Amino acid sequence: MSNKNEANTSEYELNKTKDSFQGNDLPKNSSKKKIKMPPLKTKQTYKKKSGLEYIEKKSQIDKEKKIQMSQTLIYNKNKIRSIEDIERMNKEKKENDNISNNDLDKDSTSLETEKSKNLLDSTSISEKKKEKEKHNSKKKRRKSADEEMISQKNSSYDDIIYEICTSTKGLKNLGNTCFMNTCLQTLIHSEYFIKSLIYKKKLISTRNTPITYYFIKLLELMISQDNDVVSPKDFKEIISEKHHRFRGYSQHDCQEFCRILLEDMNQELNEIKTPEPYKELSTLNKSKMECDKEFDETFKKRENSLIMDCFYSQIINIFKCECGFETYSFQKVLDFPLLLPKKNDSKTTIKDLLDEFFETEEIKFETKCEKCHKKTNHEKKAKFSQPPNILILSLQRIDERRKRKNKCSVEFPDKLSIADYIDDDCGHKNENKYELYGISKHYGDMEFGHYFAYIKLDGKRWYEFNDSKVISNSDEKYSSFISSSAYILFYKKL
């Protein structure tokens, strides 16, 4: 009980003195002399003293102990704070170390990654390079294979062309069809034409080209059949469907048939689907070469085919005014009809006939001259501006008005030069050498006659193609020919 009262009294004294001092200040009723903290093992000493003195001492000791405890608490608190700070600092340091280590790890990782990336990049580059080299090698192999295939294809084409152009098979006469057989044989043995046709065979077979298609079928028969004679029945039927004049078995003109056949094939093989409208070209302040090139380019925007390339030539007509001013016009020509002397027993040469065809003539212009603005007489002169690859010369032996045939003898060379008939300013002066390779002949008169072809094969030997009969001539080379039966001459450019 006394212990409980002592405890309450000490608490009371402690609370009472709590407001009377701050920090380490002593209470007012105590002496100014500082009291040293007694040792903790003084409990028995205090118990031996009397009651009031004990209480006072005890309260004083408790106060001092309280102060010491508060100081200890503050110290411990500060200590705790400092520990916390240290721990925090250590933690921060650790974190910083971790961060730096992470950064180092990251840097090292990034370096390793970059190295690996560079390694991968170098590896990928090397792999890409290897793949590219592999692709290029494959491409080269494929290209070489394609080239080899193309060369094989071309060589096979060349073999086919050679086999066709050197074929000695005859064509069956279906009944007065010698005019057609003669024309077909000369075209079949026109190497430049056949080569162009064979190389474009795939294109031709997919288009609406019935006449050309059956002409190619005829070529295939010339090299596929074992027998020496081929029937052109299918070809005759297809061309008779378009041109009714060739129906039946009447005789027709070989020149007319040849011209119609080539014009039809030209239309079928025309590569221009939507031709440009015709426009008149101005020749003012332009050279001949410029005008020639412009006309050719403009014309080929309306018509452009392998027939045009093989057989058509370009002619320049030069109109010269009395004042000396020249204007030009151009035209495409398939064949050249050469007029013969009127006397049957006369003789002439192919050069004389060409001179007459290309001679200067005088005409009167209906329009005024662009320079002198007068209607004057003009000189007209025709020349080749672009010579053809195959030159067709048609000798005009049939006189329709008089109903008779001209049997004039014509001398023509094996090698022909047309240098005198080529315009010097159009850029084709050197393209003037030609070699004879085919002759269409006609024996008889207008009422009754017969056509056959005389053809030089492989540039060496001449053969006579008389429908189904093919006769070989000697190997003798002819520098010129004289004939009263020659009807169409076929020359190839050298």
Side-chain angles (χ1 to χ4, degrees), residues 8-29:
N8 290 333
T9 305
S10 63
E11 286 179 4
Y12 169 76
E13 292 295 333
L14 182 63
N15 291 330
K16 186 178 178 181
T17 58
K18 189 175 181 181
D19 297 329
S20 62
F21 70 91
Q22 293 179 355
N24 294 327
D25 295 337
L26 295 171
K28 290 180 182 181
N29 54 0

Side-chain angles (χ1 to χ4, degrees), residues 445-465:
D445 53 28
M446 287 189 65
E447 294 180 359
F448 181 80
H450 181 66
Y451 290 98
F452 68 91
Y454 201 56
I455 300 171
K456 181 164 57 174
L457 300 185
D458 202 18
K460 298 175 182 178
R461 180 178 292 188
W462 286 91
Y463 286 79
E464 182 183 297
F465 290 82

Side-chain angles (χ1 to χ4, degrees), residues 165-344:
C165 294
T166 56
S167 172
T168 56
K169 290 184 178 180
L171 294 174
K172 184 179 179 180
N173 193 323
L174 304 174
N176 288 328
T177 57
C178 57
F179 70 95
M180 181 181 73
N181 292 345
T182 300
C183 175
L184 290 175
Q185 287 286 16
T186 50
L187 293 179
I188 287 168
H189 293 90
S190 300
E191 184 178 355
Y192 188 89
F193 168 55
I194 297 301
K195 188 174 183 178
S196 303
L197 203 59
I198 293 299
Y199 275 95
K200 291 191 176 182
K201 180 183 174 183
K202 186 176 288 186
L203 176 66
I204 292 165
S205 62
T206 59
R207 297 173 63 179
N208 187 23
T209 56
I211 293 174
T212 309
Y213 178 78
Y214 278 96
F215 181 82
I216 292 175
K217 286 293 181 184
L218 185 63
L219 297 179
E220 292 174 354
L221 292 174
M222 296 292 285
I223 59 175
S224 61
Q225 288 189 352
D226 295 333
N227 53 351
D228 296 333
V229 181
V230 174
S231 174
K233 182 180 177 182
D234 293 338
F235 180 81
K236 183 183 182 299
E237 286 180 358
I238 201 69
I239 200 167
S240 298
E241 286 181 8
K242 186 173 183 179
H243 302 282
H244 294 174
R245 74 183 79 179
F246 300 126
R247 288 182 177 179
Y249 302 99
S250 300
Q251 183 67 271
H252 294 279
D253 184 68
C254 184
Q255 289 181 4
E256 180 188 27
F257 179 83
C258 188
R259 193 176 298 114
I260 288 172
L261 174 59
L262 291 176
E263 286 175 352
D264 285 349
M265 293 176 76
N266 181 49
Q267 290 177 5
E268 288 183 353
L269 300 175
N270 188 10
E271 297 175 3
I272 309 301
K273 295 180 180 179
T274 54
E276 290 189 1
Y278 176 81
K279 63 178 181 178
E280 190 173 348
L281 302 176
S282 174
T283 60
L284 191 63
N285 299 325
K286 293 178 183 177
S287 66
K288 287 180 182 178
M289 186 179 291
E290 289 175 335
C291 295
D292 177 68
K293 187 177 179 180
E294 186 178 3
F295 176 82
D296 185 55
E297 290 174 352
T298 306
F299 189 90
K300 286 180 178 178
K301 290 178 181 178
R302 299 193 302 274
E303 287 185 45
N304 189 16
S305 72
L306 64 89
I307 302 296
M308 192 72 65
D309 177 62
C310 292
F311 297 99
Y312 280 78
S313 58
Q314 188 161 300
I315 299 296
I316 178 173
N317 297 305
I318 305 165
F319 302 93
K320 187 175 182 180
C321 180
E322 290 177 352
C323 69
F325 181 74
E326 289 184 350
T327 56
Y328 319 115
S329 70
F330 298 85
Q331 64 186 119
K332 296 287 185 179
V333 178
L334 175 60
D335 65 325
F336 293 86
L338 304 179
L339 295 175
L340 300 176
K342 293 181 180 180
K343 292 182 179 180
N344 278 340

Side-chain angles (χ1 to χ4, degrees), residues 48-64:
K48 291 178 180 181
K49 293 180 180 182
S50 59
L52 182 60
E53 189 180 356
Y54 174 78
I55 292 170
E56 288 176 358
K57 290 288 181 182
K58 179 80 166 84
S59 62
Q60 189 177 355
I61 290 168
D62 290 336
K63 288 176 185 177
E64 289 176 357

Side-chain angles (χ1 to χ4, degrees), residues 115-162:
K115 285 181 181 179
S116 61
K117 189 177 179 182
N118 292 333
L119 184 63
L120 287 170
D121 288 340
S122 61
T123 308
S124 62
I125 288 167
S126 61
E127 285 178 356
K128 284 180 180 179
K129 193 174 180 181
K130 286 180 181 179
E131 285 179 3
K132 192 174 181 181
E133 289 176 356
K134 191 176 181 181
H135 177 71
N136 289 334
S137 63
K138 280 183 179 180
K139 195 173 180 181
K140 284 180 182 179
R141 286 198 301 271
R142 196 182 302 116
K143 188 177 179 182
S144 61
D146 290 342
E147 287 176 353
E148 187 178 354
M149 186 175 69
I150 289 169
S151 64
Q152 288 176 359
K153 190 176 181 181
N154 290 342
S155 63
S156 63
Y157 276 167
D158 291 339
D159 293 340
I160 291 169
I161 291 163
Y162 180 81

